[in-house]
Amino acid sequence: MELDDLYQQIILDHNKKRVGYGLHEGGFPSHQYNPTCGDELTLTVRLSDDGNTITAFEWEGKGCSISQASASLLTAEATGMTISEFEAFADGFREAMRSRGQIRLDEEEYGDLAALSGVSKFVARVKCAMLAWVAAEDSLHLTRESLN
């Protein structure tokens, strides 16, 4: 199996078996919509009691396999990170997605999220991959704002 085939399989698997799928009451959900293709997603970030660690991402959405897999992969890879770790992680992901294929996500750091590296070559699909990340950053901002 070639690397591109493996990456395609990871995306398809996360689209079918969605990690973190399902919203619960409470929290500060962020709803994001991509008018270009119709993808939409609502995501809530849950924090530890001290407000420093992400304990869960909960989400629901509908759309293409890239947007749904990205939310699932985000949940699988970033749950348990501190807020500062997640912010750096998200910045690196965004930079790779905006690179038009020039920057590949490092598998050591990003795990299975590296499967989305090829998406950056297709500008119209970058918004699909970023949808969950925009929602996560917005929900995190709303959650942190409520703690102050």
Side-chain angles (χ1 to χ4, degrees):
M1 180 178 278
E2 294 199 24
L3 189 58
D4 286 342
D5 294 335
L6 175 62
Y7 281 175
Q8 181 67 22
Q9 191 59 50
I10 290 169
I11 291 169
L12 293 174
D13 288 349
H14 273 273
N15 181 47
K16 290 177 189 167
K17 298 175 185 169
R18 300 172 179 180
V19 178
Y21 195 84
L23 290 171
H24 301 94
E25 292 293 317
F28 296 91
S30 174
H31 180 79
Q32 300 295 318
Y33 174 70
N34 182 351
T36 305
C37 63
D39 291 354
E40 59 184 301
L41 189 133
T42 302
L43 184 144
T44 301
V45 175
R46 303 287 182 178
L47 298 178
S48 59
D49 290 339
D50 65 8
N52 291 322
T53 304
I54 296 170
T55 59
F57 294 92
E58 299 168 0
W59 64 278
E60 289 182 354
K62 61 181 180 179
C64 71
S65 60
I66 291 171
S67 70
Q68 303 304 288
S70 184
S72 178
L73 287 160
L74 162 67
T75 302
E77 299 295 338
T79 299
M81 288 184 176
T82 65
I83 291 172
S84 60
E85 288 170 338
F86 174 72
E87 288 170 340
F89 194 69
D91 287 345
F93 185 81
R94 181 179 296 101
E95 182 181 9
M97 288 299 105
R98 292 181 176 164
S99 76
R100 296 183 183 236
Q102 298 302 306
I103 300 171
R104 293 196 62 81
L105 293 166
D106 177 47
E107 286 185 55
E108 290 290 318
E109 183 177 357
Y110 286 89
D112 283 347
L113 275 162
L116 294 173
S117 290
V119 171
S120 69
K121 296 176 188 174
F122 306 98
V123 177
R125 304 311 303 234
V126 169
K127 286 184 180 181
C128 301
M130 288 299 303
L131 199 63
W133 295 78
V134 171
E137 290 174 319
D138 186 46
S139 177
L140 181 58
H141 171 75
L142 294 169
T143 302
R144 291 176 79 187
E145 203 171 74
S146 76
L147 297 174
N148 295 331

